[in-house]
Amino acid sequence: MSSPPTAPPAPPEAPPEPPRRPRGGRAVLALLRNAWRGLTSMRTALVLLFLLALASLPGALLPQRSLNQQLVDKYFADYPRLAPLLDKIGAFEIFATPWFAAIYLLLMISLIGCLTPRSLEYLRAMRQKPVATPRNLSRMPHHAEAEVDGTPDEVLERVRGRLKGWRRAERDEGGVRTVSAERGFLRETGNLVFHVSLVGLLVGIAVGKLFGYEGQVIVLADGNQFCNTSILGYDSFNPGLRVDGTDLAPFCIKVDSFSAEYLPNGQPEQYTAQLGYQSAADVRSGDTATWRPDTLSVNHPLRLDGERVYLLNHGYAPRFTVTWPDGQQRTGEIQWQPVDTTTYLSQGATKFERPGIADDATRQKSSIAITGLFAPTSSGGQVVTSTYPDLLAPEAAIDVMRGDLGLDDGRGQSIFSVDQSKVDSGELVRVARENMVPGQEITLDDGTRIRFDDVTQWVALQVSHDPGQVTVLVFAILILLGLGLSLSIKRRRFWVRVVAAEPGTDGRARSRVELGGLARTDRAGYGEEFDRLRADLLEPAAASTAATTRNGGD
Amino acid sequence: MPVDPMLSEYSDLLFKGALTVYVLAMAFHAVEYVTSRARVRAVAAEAAPEPAAVGAAGGTGSTAGSGTADHGRVSEENADVPPPPVKASRPTRSRADRFGRMGVSLTILAVLLHFGSIVLRGLATVRWPLGNMYEFSSAVCLAAMVAWLVVLQRTSKRTRGLRKLGVFVLAPVLVLMFLAGTVLYAQAAPVVPALRSYWLSVHVTTVTLASGLFFVPGVASILYLMKRSGKPAGFVAKLPEADVLDRLAYRVTVVAFPMYTFAVIAGAIWAEAAWGRFWGWDPKETVAFVAWVIYAAYLHARATAGWRHVGAAWINILGLAAIIFNLFFINMVVAGLHSYAGLG
C-alpha cells in the first residue's frame, strides 16, 4: 500500500511512434499499465481506505440482518418508503454486499501490487553495500568532526567495534578511509510483514466464510441430548458458502442441568450448564455409552475438535399433562420464550393433539393448546407478572384453547404461539383461563383435566465451526508485530571519514575524523543516538570537537 | 460479590476532588496561555536551565534530561546549547511560567486523586474497575492526562511552549469527565456474566489507554490546523510552531495506534470465547474498524505527497471523532452486544 510516495500517477512513456494514439495491443497494454499504476499508487490506497471506512459506517448505524432481524423489521415498519430503497443497495447487510467486497478486494489488489515491487527492492537493498560516503558530510542533518589520537587504522578499529550490528562497508579512497553504515532494516521488514499479514488475515476470514458454520439449538436441561448429525437438528443454521450440511462432525451433547446465580436485584452473576459430550471421534468409534463431563458457562465454551459449543441463553419450559375424558394422557414440555430478559417472564404455547382417535376430523376438533405467560417468581394476584428471574415462586397464567390447531395444514407455525387465523375463524376456542402453580390441576367443561406438573430449564446452545480461525489469529499477531517494528524502528545511515593528521606534540599519531548521520524515516530523526555515537568516537578529543546537529529527519 | 459502600463512596469523593483540581489546573494553564508571550523561543530559552516542573512527578533533572535530544527536529531550538548544567542562581520567572508550573503541579495532584478514585472503585466492587460507561470514561480521561504528563516530561527541556497547551488538553478531558460523573454515572455494582473474564482487564484497559492517548494527537492536530491557517491571529501567535504540533500528533499516534490494534485483537479473542465468533460486525466492532482504518489512512497520508500536512491533520481529527463516537453514541444509542453502559 505504500509505493514510493513520490511516484506520480504514471507518466505515460511516450513511445517513439507518431503522437497518434498507439494501436491495438499496445494501446490496451498502455491502458492496463496505467490502470495498474494508478491502482497501486499510495493515493489510490488512501482513497480506498476512506471508502472502506465510509462504507462500513452504515453497518453500525442501520440495523443489520445478520445481527438482529427484528430491528430490521422494525425499521421497515418505521420507514416504509426509505427502507426498501436502502434494502436495494444492501444497506441491511452491508458486509455481505458485492460493493463492500469490491472495495476491500481493490484495496488488497492495490496492496499486493504495491508490496511486490517493494519487496523486490527491499531484497536488493539488503544485498547492496551501504551507499558511499558523501563528499561533503557537513551537509548532512547530523555532522561532527574532530581530531583524535591514533592512526587511521586504530580509529577504524574503534569504529568497527562501536558499529557492531550495523551493516557496514569500508572504502579506501586514496588515503581517505571511509565507513558507511546503515541500520534499521527491520522497519521495512515490519512494514512488509504487516501488509502481507493483512492479506493473510483476509484469506483466513474468507476460509471461515466458505467452510464455517454456526447453528443454534435449544436443549432442555434435564438430560436431553443434541447430536450434530444434520442441519435438521438445529433451530437455526447459518452455513458457509461451501457448507451443505452433509459432512458435520457428529458429536453429541447431553445437557444434565443448568443453574443461574443472581444478585438480589435480579442481575445475573453466572450461568452454568453441566453437560456430557461425546466427541466426533467417540461417536465414530462407536463408543456411545460414556459421556465426558464438562461445565459450560459464559466465556467458557466447550472446545471440541474444530467445533465450539457456547452457552448463549436460557429459559423455562413448563410441563403440562393433559388427561382426556377417555383416560388418554399426554405430557408436553416445550421451551417458552423469555419476553423480559431481566425478569424472565416468558410466553409460549404447549400443544397437544388428542391421541387414540382415528377420525381426523374429531381429532383435530379436540386438540388442546396451553398458551400464556410464565413467571419464574410470580408477583401473585390476578395479573401474573414476574419479579425475579430465578425459579422461586413459579406461576403460569394460561389460556386453554381447544379445537383445530392447524398442525396438519402443512404450514409451519411458531412454537411459541397458536395460529391466530384459527382463533379468528373460530376453529380454535378458548375454554379456560386460569393462574396455575406447579401441582395444580384444572378440569375443563368436557372433563378433560390439565395439570401443571413442573418447570424445566432449557439452554440455548450455539455450535460454531470456523476452520480459518487459527490462521486469522496467527496473522493478527503478525500484524501487531509488523506494526510495532515498522512504527518504532528508525532507518538511519551513518558515515565515518578518517584521514591521518599531523602527529601531536608528544609525537603520537593523530587522525582527523568526520561523522555524518541521516535518518531516512518519517520525521523521526535520530539525534540522540548520533550524539552517543559522536561521544563514543570523538569524545577523547572533546576540546577540539566541532559538532553541529541540524534538522533531523525528512 | 458484595459491594463495599464505604469504599465506593470514597471513590466518588476522589473523583469529584480530581475533577475540581483539574478545573483549577485548567484555570492556571488558561492564565499561563493568556499571559505568555508569542515568541515561544524566548520563553524556552529563558526557562530552559531549570529542572522541569514535571520532574516533581518522578525524579528530577536526570530524568528530564534524558529526553533531551530524542525528538530529532525539536532539538533544533536549543541545538547549540550543550546539555544544560544545573544552574546555581534562579532567574526570575515570568508570570506565565509560574502559572504554568502550578498548572502542571495541580494536574499531577488531580491525576493521583483520579487514579485513587479508580483503584477504590475496583476495591469496592472486587473486580477490574472498567465495567460500565462511567468507569470506562473516567479511565479514558486518566489515560489522556497521564499521556499528556508524559509528553510534557519527555519534551520539557526543549519545547516549553507545549506546556501552555495544557488548557486545550484539559478542556475536552474535563467535558468528558463531567459527563462521566453526571450522565454516565453508575452505582458501583458487580458486572454481568459476559464481563466476567480476565479479557476484560486486557481488552478494556488497552482500549482505554489507546483512546486516552488519541486525545493528545487529536487536540494537537486541531491546534496545528489553526496555527497553519493563522486565524485568529492573536490566539495562534501564542501557539507553538506548527511543526512542533505536527510532530507531537505523529509521535503520540504511532504509540496509540499499535496499542489500539492490540486492543481490537484482544477484543476479537475475547469475543471468540464469549460470543462464539471473533468478529461479527457488532456496531462497536464496526466503528472500531472504521477508526482503525482512519488512523491507518493517517499514517499513509503522511507518506503521500499533497496529504502530508493539512490532510493528515484532518484525518487525525476524524480518527478522534470516530473514537469518541464509538465511545458514546454506539454504547448509548445503538443496540449491540457492547451495551454494558449500566444506564437506565
Side-chain angles (χ1 to χ4, degrees):
Chain A
M1 216 178 306
S2 4
S3 59
T6 45
E13 284 163 29
E17 290 165 38
R20 293 280 96 199
R21 44 185 71 195
R23 274 167 302 155
R26 232 172 226 280
V28 174
L29 223 72
L31 185 73
L32 281 178
R33 195 179 51 208
N34 282 353
W36 178 249
R37 283 187 187 160
L39 183 62
T40 57
S41 80
M42 186 78 122
R43 198 174 298 268
T44 310
L46 203 55
V47 169
L48 286 172
L49 278 173
F50 275 127
L51 270 181
L52 190 64
L54 202 65
S56 315
L57 210 51
L61 301 180
L62 291 173
Q64 298 291 300
R65 288 220 168 83
S66 59
L67 298 177
N68 198 331
Q69 178 66 43
Q70 282 92 28
L71 283 180
V72 178
D73 295 341
K74 186 171 177 298
Y75 196 86
F76 268 85
D78 291 350
Y79 305 96
R81 276 162 188 280
L82 184 62
L85 286 179
L86 287 174
D87 199 25
K88 278 221 174 68
I89 57 165
F92 300 111
E93 44 219 342
I94 294 272
F95 304 107
T97 54
W99 50 268
F100 189 77
I103 296 174
Y104 67 73
L105 284 179
L106 275 177
L107 192 60
M108 285 299 137
I109 293 171
S110 157
L111 197 139
I112 292 167
C114 169
L115 277 185
T116 317
R118 208 172 157 145
S119 310
L120 293 177
E121 191 203 348
Y122 172 59
L123 281 177
R124 216 171 298 131
M126 283 279 272
R127 266 178 284 138
Q128 267 169 1
K129 284 209 285 185
V131 293
T133 307
R135 188 178 305 272
N136 192 350
L137 276 182
S138 64
R139 284 221 185 128
M140 286 296 128
H142 303 276
H143 172 251
E145 71 182 298
E147 260 188 30
V148 298
D149 286 336
T151 63
D153 279 329
E154 287 165 3
V155 171
L156 282 176
E157 196 51 47
R158 270 215 307 280
V159 169
R160 277 181 216 119
R162 182 63 183 78
L163 291 181
K164 275 218 175 75
W166 291 65
R167 279 164 35 81
R168 296 189 307 268
E170 288 185 31
R171 294 185 177 85
D172 191 337
E173 300 163 357
V176 180
R177 313 277 294 272
T178 66
V179 179
S180 333
E182 202 163 357
R183 196 170 201 185
F185 269 85
L186 273 180
R187 179 187 182 90
E188 191 67 357
T189 310
N191 203 349
L192 286 176
V193 166
F194 172 80
H195 286 100
V196 170
S197 303
L198 270 184
V199 178
L201 185 89
L202 200 72
V203 170
I205 292 176
V207 168
K209 290 274 171 269
L210 287 176
F211 302 105
Y213 63 82
E214 259 181 26
Q216 285 88 25
V217 62
I218 285 178
V219 184
L220 292 177
D222 58 356
N224 256 289
Q225 297 179 14
F226 163 77
C227 281
N228 188 40
T229 45
S230 87
I231 297 180
L232 293 175
Y234 287 101
D235 297 328
S236 67
F237 191 79
N238 312 312
L241 296 173
R242 309 293 295 169
V243 175
D244 55 9
T246 53
D247 198 21
L248 307 182
F251 65 88
C252 284
I253 281 178
K254 175 166 70 77
V255 184
D256 294 321
S257 69
F258 170 83
S259 70
E261 293 159 36
Y262 300 96
L263 295 170
N265 67 359
Q267 180 185 321
E269 267 204 291
Q270 191 54 279
Y271 302 126
T272 34
Q274 299 298 333
L275 48 83
Y277 69 92
Q278 293 168 346
S279 69
D282 293 342
V283 173
R284 285 199 185 101
S285 68
D287 178 15
T288 50
T290 52
W291 293 90
R292 300 165 194 271
D294 192 75
T295 304
L296 204 60
S297 64
V298 182
N299 279 315
H300 296 281
L302 167 64
R303 291 178 187 278
L304 298 166
D305 242 11
E307 283 78 26
R308 294 160 281 134
V309 183
Y310 295 85
L311 177 62
L312 282 195
N313 203 349
H314 72 103
Y316 297 101
R319 185 162 76 242
F320 295 96
T321 299
V322 178
T323 312
W324 278 269
D326 57 4
Q328 289 280 359
Q329 204 175 54
R330 281 290 178 271
T331 299
E333 183 181 39
I334 192 165
Q335 65 265 26
W336 284 25
Q337 180 183 34
V339 286
D340 182 334
T341 50
T342 52
T343 64
Y344 270 79
L345 182 70
S346 310
Q347 69 172 21
T350 310
K351 300 169 188 176
F352 300 86
E353 277 197 281
R354 183 165 182 184
I357 303 275
D359 173 29
D360 273 357
T362 318
R363 191 181 71 228
Q364 280 175 5
K365 287 216 177 67
S366 49
S367 290
I368 287 193
I370 300 168
T371 71
L373 293 172
F374 169 79
T377 300
S378 171
S379 58
Q382 267 305 304
V383 182
V384 169
T385 183
S386 178
T387 56
Y388 194 70
D390 206 0
L391 204 58
L392 298 183
E395 186 169 19
I398 57 162
D399 282 351
V400 180
M401 317 287 286
R402 189 170 59 209
D404 182 7
L405 295 174
L407 296 174
D408 298 336
D409 290 6
R411 285 183 296 124
Q413 57 173 275
S414 165
I415 60 165
F416 298 116
S417 62
V418 293
D419 187 348
Q420 188 59 36
S421 67
K422 294 286 179 190
V423 179
D424 295 340
S425 68
E427 291 170 85
L428 193 58
V429 186
R430 193 180 86 201
V431 289
R433 166 167 284 184
E434 199 69 44
N435 292 351
M436 297 176 83
V437 295
Q440 201 174 335
E441 190 176 73
I442 57 169
T443 307
L444 303 183
D445 50 3
D446 65 350
T448 304
R449 284 173 293 137
I450 291 175
R451 192 172 71 238
F452 180 11
D453 300 321
D454 202 358
V455 183
T456 308
Q457 306 229 43
W458 56 258
V459 293
L461 300 180
Q462 171 170 308
V463 177
S464 302
H465 175 70
D466 184 348
Q469 189 162 283
V470 176
T471 317
V472 170
L473 179 63
V474 168
F475 280 114
I477 292 169
L478 284 176
I479 279 178
L480 202 56
L481 285 179
L483 196 60
L485 283 181
S486 75
L487 289 181
S488 63
I489 288 179
K490 297 160 188 167
R491 208 168 148 198
R492 62 265 191 211
R493 287 179 171 162
F494 187 71
W495 292 279
V496 184
R497 174 176 287 135
V498 187
V499 278
E502 294 288 308
T505 43
D506 53 358
R508 284 202 296 183
R510 304 272 289 168
S511 300
R512 177 132 208 97
V513 182
E514 201 182 350
L515 310 177
L518 172 69
R520 297 193 56 208
T521 49
D522 183 28
R523 303 163 195 224
Y526 75 133
E528 196 188 335
E529 186 184 26
F530 185 85
D531 286 343
R532 278 201 305 272
L533 284 167
R534 184 192 61 201
D536 291 348
L537 294 173
L538 305 181
E539 213 63 339
S544 59
T545 303
T548 58
T549 294
R550 285 203 266 129
N551 299 355
D554 312 74
Chain B
M1 209 72 80
V3 172
D4 187 327
M6 189 76 131
L7 287 178
S8 150
E9 191 141 321
Y10 282 133
S11 161
D12 291 355
L13 273 178
L14 284 181
F15 182 85
K16 286 173 201 154
L19 192 60
T20 315
V21 181
Y22 278 134
V23 171
L24 272 177
M26 187 173 77
F28 276 88
H29 277 303
V31 174
E32 178 194 19
Y33 190 79
V34 171
T35 55
S36 67
R37 278 165 291 165
R39 293 284 298 174
V40 179
R41 209 165 292 192
V43 177
E46 177 191 346
E50 296 163 26
V54 199
T60 45
S62 60
T63 44
S66 65
T68 304
D70 193 43
H71 308 290
R73 266 249 221 81
V74 186
S75 59
E76 177 187 1
E77 287 179 0
N78 317 348
D80 40 1
V81 182
V86 180
K87 209 166 177 182
S89 66
R90 312 186 118 211
T92 51
R93 296 190 189 116
S94 69
R95 186 195 305 174
D97 192 38
R98 280 202 310 275
F99 274 92
R101 293 165 64 92
M102 282 189 275
V104 173
S105 304
L106 285 172
T107 307
I108 292 166
L109 174 64
V111 161
L112 292 176
L113 294 175
H114 196 164
F115 183 70
S117 144
I118 291 175
V119 169
L120 285 187
R121 244 297 155 147
L123 291 177
T125 51
V126 205
R127 60 171 169 77
W128 199 254
L130 287 171
N132 52 45
M133 281 285 282
Y134 160 69
E135 294 167 13
F136 182 62
S137 315
S138 170
V140 168
C141 292
L142 181 67
M145 290 324 296
V146 170
W148 167 241
L149 287 181
V150 170
V151 165
L152 273 187
Q153 155 86 14
R154 289 183 56 111
T155 58
S156 55
K157 279 291 172 181
R158 278 155 296 109
T159 33
R160 271 303 161 83
L162 277 184
R163 191 183 62 201
K164 63 188 172 187
L165 299 185
V167 60
F168 304 110
V169 175
L170 273 161
V173 169
L174 271 176
V175 170
L176 178 52
M177 235 181 127
F178 179 75
L179 287 176
T182 53
V183 184
L184 304 178
Y185 183 78
Q187 288 287 345
V191 290
V192 296
L195 292 184
R196 287 166 196 267
S197 167
Y198 55 89
W199 283 106
L200 173 77
S201 49
V202 179
H203 169 59
V204 188
T205 309
T206 45
V207 167
T208 309
L209 282 173
S211 307
L213 281 178
F214 278 134
F215 260 86
V216 176
V219 170
S221 296
I222 293 171
L223 296 176
Y224 169 81
L225 288 177
M226 295 177 78
K227 183 80 179 179
R228 290 268 302 205
S229 74
K231 276 178 273 185
F235 173 79
V236 298
K238 292 176 178 177
L239 287 176
E241 295 303 320
D243 213 32
V244 173
L245 292 168
D246 186 41
R247 199 166 28 248
L248 175 67
Y250 176 73
R251 293 186 63 90
V252 182
T253 305
V254 298
V255 175
F257 184 64
M259 197 180 283
Y260 190 62
T261 310
F262 173 82
V264 171
I265 292 173
I269 295 174
W270 187 11
E272 192 272 339
W275 297 330
R277 80 291 182 292
F278 59 86
W279 194 269
W281 297 111
D282 181 62
K284 193 89 168 176
E285 292 170 354
T286 304
V287 181
F289 172 74
V290 169
W292 191 86
V293 167
I294 293 176
Y295 280 108
Y298 169 77
L299 293 178
H300 284 88
R302 293 193 55 107
T304 307
W307 278 87
R308 245 161 255 238
H309 304 291
V310 175
W314 275 113
I315 298 174
N316 201 310
I317 295 168
L318 205 61
L320 180 62
I323 294 277
I324 294 176
F325 180 76
N326 208 7
L327 192 57
F328 288 105
F329 191 82
I330 294 300
N331 269 53
M332 298 166 71
V333 183
V334 181
L337 288 169
H338 280 84
S339 305
Y340 301 122
L343 302 169

